[in-house]
Amino acid sequence: MKMKNKIKELKNIEDCFFEIDKESKIAKIVLEFSRPEDIFDQNYVTKQPILSDDFLEWIGSAFKLVSSKYKIDLSIRFDDLGAYTGEELQDIFCKNIDLEFKSRFSENQKRNRVAYGLIGIGLLFFVGMLLIRNLWQSESIWRDIFIYVSDIATTVTFWEAMTILVVEQKEKREFLFDLASRFTSIHFEKKEKE
């Protein structure tokens, strides 16, 4: 009975950490930094600043910490906004999210092509195995080795393709879906002095 109670407690554990409006299904998350440069990758020399991988991981972490049934109202606060305004930072953020979405989408398409190539190779091994099994009637150690290796190669290539297409794609699709749809609003603002 204790285990059921513990599971019930864990079901809404995010309430202990974040302000959650259960009626509108919105979780308010606040991230604080010293200055906007802390969220940018300083190694890129670009027209617009590029968000750092660490900052994108913070965003991904926000998705994981709060149940997917809640949308996220994200506030990013700085001690000093520097030369930026909240609107400029929001525009930079949106463009970076679009860039991240595009690069992950392109990466997914490349992985899909690899998976389909593996399926094609697996089919070739499978057809080869069937042909050898049916056309090579005499018993031979070479026949058995070829059939055995073809069987393993078929299985391995199909499993790898399915791992890429099903498991990895699900994880990547979820992150892209979260980026595209789970934010209700994003605010960049200066911390209020206490």
Side-chain angles (χ1 to χ4, degrees):
M1 198 63 158
K2 287 183 180 182
M3 184 60 116
K4 282 187 179 182
N5 290 339
K6 187 66 173 171
I7 291 172
K8 284 182 183 179
E9 286 177 27
L10 291 176
K11 187 176 182 181
N12 296 314
I13 191 70
E14 57 262 332
D15 291 346
C16 296
F17 296 94
F18 304 106
E19 183 182 326
I20 296 181
D21 183 348
K22 293 194 186 258
E23 286 182 25
S24 61
K25 300 216 180 271
I26 295 175
K28 294 185 180 192
I29 296 177
V30 178
L31 297 175
E32 292 188 346
F33 299 92
S34 296
R35 54 199 175 95
E37 288 76 17
D38 293 345
I39 66 171
F40 299 140
D41 191 330
Q42 301 299 318
N43 296 318
Y44 283 106
V45 179
T46 56
K47 294 178 185 177
Q48 294 246 1
I50 292 185
L51 296 175
S52 70
D53 291 338
D54 290 339
F55 180 70
L56 291 172
E57 285 179 28
W58 280 97
I59 300 295
S61 176
F63 294 138
K64 291 176 190 171
L65 292 174
V66 177
S67 171
S68 61
K69 66 182 175 182
Y70 297 114
K71 292 199 174 246
I72 294 174
D73 178 0
L74 181 64
S75 292
I76 300 163
R77 296 182 185 155
F78 300 99
D79 292 333
D80 180 19
L81 286 172
Y84 298 98
T85 65
E87 292 78 23
E88 288 173 328
L89 289 169
Q90 190 165 5
D91 183 56
I92 291 168
F93 178 82
C94 291
K95 287 179 181 173
N96 270 269
I97 294 303
D98 289 344
L99 180 65
E100 184 71 17
F101 190 88
K102 181 184 177 203
S103 68
R104 287 185 185 236
F105 183 77
S106 296
E107 181 183 322
N108 283 350
Q109 288 193 315
K110 289 176 188 173
R111 300 277 298 164
N112 286 350
R113 284 194 289 273
V114 168
Y116 294 132
L118 288 171
I119 289 172
I121 291 168
L123 284 173
L124 288 174
F125 277 113
F126 182 69
V127 169
M129 180 181 65
L130 290 177
L131 287 173
I132 293 298
R133 183 176 280 163
N134 291 322
L135 297 177
W136 192 347
Q137 295 299 320
S138 63
E139 290 297 320
S140 164
I141 188 78
W142 295 110
R143 177 183 180 266
D144 293 341
I145 289 172
F146 183 82
I147 290 172
Y148 182 73
V149 168
S150 296
D151 186 34
I152 291 172
T154 300
T155 304
V156 168
T157 55
F158 277 125
W159 277 113
E160 282 299 314
M162 291 304 113
T163 299
I164 291 170
L165 292 173
V166 178
V167 178
E168 290 179 15
Q169 289 298 349
K170 182 181 183 312
E171 294 169 358
K172 291 178 181 177
R173 270 194 310 270
E174 283 177 357
F175 183 74
L176 292 176
F177 175 79
D178 286 343
L179 281 178
S181 67
R182 282 200 56 205
F183 287 119
T184 58
S185 61
I186 301 155
H187 312 281
F188 290 86
E189 55 201 19
K190 187 174 180 176
K191 278 191 240 179
E192 293 180 14
K193 293 188 179 180
E194 298 171 7

